[in-house]
Amino acid sequence: MPHIAYFGPSGTFTEMALAELESANVLAGPVERVPAPSPPAALEMVRRGEVEGAVVPIESSIEGSISTTLDSLAVGPRLQIVAETEMEVTFEILAAPGTAVSEVRTLAVFPVALGQVREWVGRTLPGVRIHTSASNAAAAEDVVAGHADAAVSTTLAGQRLGLISLASGVADHDQAVTRFVLVRRPCVAPAPTGSDRTSIVLELPNVPGSLMRAFAEFATRGIDLTRIESRPTRTGMGAYRFYLDCVGHLDDPAVAEALKALHRTSRIRFLGSWPAVSQAGTQPPSDEEAAQWLTQLRKGVADL
């Protein structure tokens, strides 16, 4: 049975995402779930060969990209994303049996979750003291340990720990969604489906126009960029790397041509091509007609 790491402990949304991937047969059967204390820790377990893969959060529709995941994917031995799933994220307010909302003075919460329930907390628990927890599931464990009166957590964590729900479906924004990815050591990319996502990391030469020229490699080929983000390399002020997602697959000729062109002038790290769960964007153009035209030229056909 393959071992798959996830951002734990048991009861996090990430474990729930892993369960979704299992039920969708992405993992080709049941797996042994291995909790890790952070997304980077889960990815390092893959690099060390302790597990066959890891499921980690990568992007929230409310809070944006998960920076710890991006930074860990950009450095160290290369890893590759092979699948994704998306989950609507709402929270439970969990407490020990017998606790009333009026008795909550301290609230355990993971910082990413706090950004998604801050308005609700301000309205419902004014003056509550925030206790920072290592994850959504760890927030529930902090209640059991007596570190806080209540927690912003998940239904799964409440069931596992025997806590009661003081409020459910808590979220400041409707349709909050988080995207999770399955990461493995480098491998052959999943076959193209016609609805795929490709992700890369770019480190560009520090010369005028380098970013514009990089974007032009996609624009001139009709490739739709769906995410553009910069993160510091932590090597000095003004030093950044760029994370780009585009519609399409490594096997799409237009995408392959763009990546080859970028490789000639930049440091490029391929993070993967994989089936997209939901994707707003335009598919890259087909070059079938142009390829046939070129083949005919090579054959010496007179009239084209």
Side-chain angles (χ1 to χ4, degrees), residues 13-280:
F13 285 110
T14 310
E15 184 184 16
M16 295 163 66
L18 172 51
E20 288 279 341
L21 291 168
E22 284 186 89
S23 64
N25 294 321
V26 172
L27 295 160
V31 302
E32 183 75 25
R33 302 178 188 176
V34 182
S38 67
L43 296 175
E44 283 305 310
M45 293 175 73
V46 181
R47 289 188 171 106
R48 293 194 298 265
E50 297 172 7
V51 294
E52 284 77 13
V55 176
V56 291
I58 196 167
E59 186 176 10
S60 161
S61 64
I62 305 301
E63 291 296 290
S65 297
I66 310 301
S67 58
T68 54
T69 298
L70 292 185
D71 290 345
S72 186
L73 287 170
V75 298
R78 187 174 75 87
L79 297 174
Q80 189 168 327
I81 300 170
V82 296
E84 71 177 32
T85 189
E86 294 178 355
M87 295 186 62
E88 290 190 10
V89 173
T90 60
F91 297 89
E92 301 279 328
I93 307 301
L94 302 177
T99 303
V101 172
S102 60
E103 297 173 324
V104 175
R105 300 289 181 269
T106 55
L107 183 69
V109 58
F110 180 48
V112 174
L114 181 59
Q116 301 182 54
V117 300
R118 194 184 307 276
E119 295 174 13
W120 185 94
V121 171
R123 290 193 309 268
T124 311
L125 300 171
V128 73
R129 190 171 75 254
I130 298 298
H131 171 87
T132 300
S133 299
S135 69
N136 293 313
E141 292 184 343
D142 286 342
V143 171
V144 174
H147 301 315
D149 300 321
V152 178
S153 192
T154 69
T155 302
L156 182 60
Q159 294 170 346
R160 183 172 65 86
L161 297 171
L163 299 175
I164 63 168
S165 177
L166 301 180
S168 60
V170 174
D172 291 342
H173 305 277
D174 294 336
Q175 299 179 332
V177 174
T178 296
R179 183 157 57 97
F180 301 84
V181 291
L182 172 62
V183 182
R184 296 187 184 273
R185 288 182 289 280
C187 59
V188 176
T193 65
S195 179
D196 303 290
R197 189 188 316 275
T198 292
S199 185
I200 63 172
V201 184
L202 278 180
E203 293 189 19
L204 300 171
N206 189 17
V207 296
S210 61
L211 182 58
M212 182 194 70
R213 285 190 290 272
F215 288 165
E217 300 294 356
F218 295 94
T220 57
R221 294 175 174 86
I223 299 170
D224 196 349
L225 289 173
T226 57
R227 184 171 66 93
I228 303 168
E229 185 166 351
S230 62
R231 291 281 303 157
T233 63
R234 301 178 180 175
T235 58
M237 288 293 289
Y240 287 84
R241 58 175 63 96
F242 297 87
Y243 299 80
L244 306 179
D245 285 3
C246 72
V247 178
H249 191 280
L250 178 66
D251 288 344
D252 292 327
V255 175
E257 288 173 4
L259 298 189
K260 286 191 294 183
L262 290 168
H263 177 69
R264 295 186 190 106
T265 60
S266 313
R267 291 186 61 187
I268 179 172
R269 170 167 284 201
F270 175 67
L271 293 184
S273 292
W274 65 93
V277 172
S278 62
Q279 192 165 76

Side-chain angles (χ1 to χ4, degrees), residues 274-300:
W274 65 93
V277 172
S278 62
Q279 192 165 76
T282 304
Q283 294 297 318
S286 170
D287 78 334
E288 183 176 350
E289 189 277 333
Q292 291 177 351
W293 174 79
L294 187 61
T295 297
Q296 295 296 91
L297 284 181
R298 288 169 173 161
K299 290 181 178 178

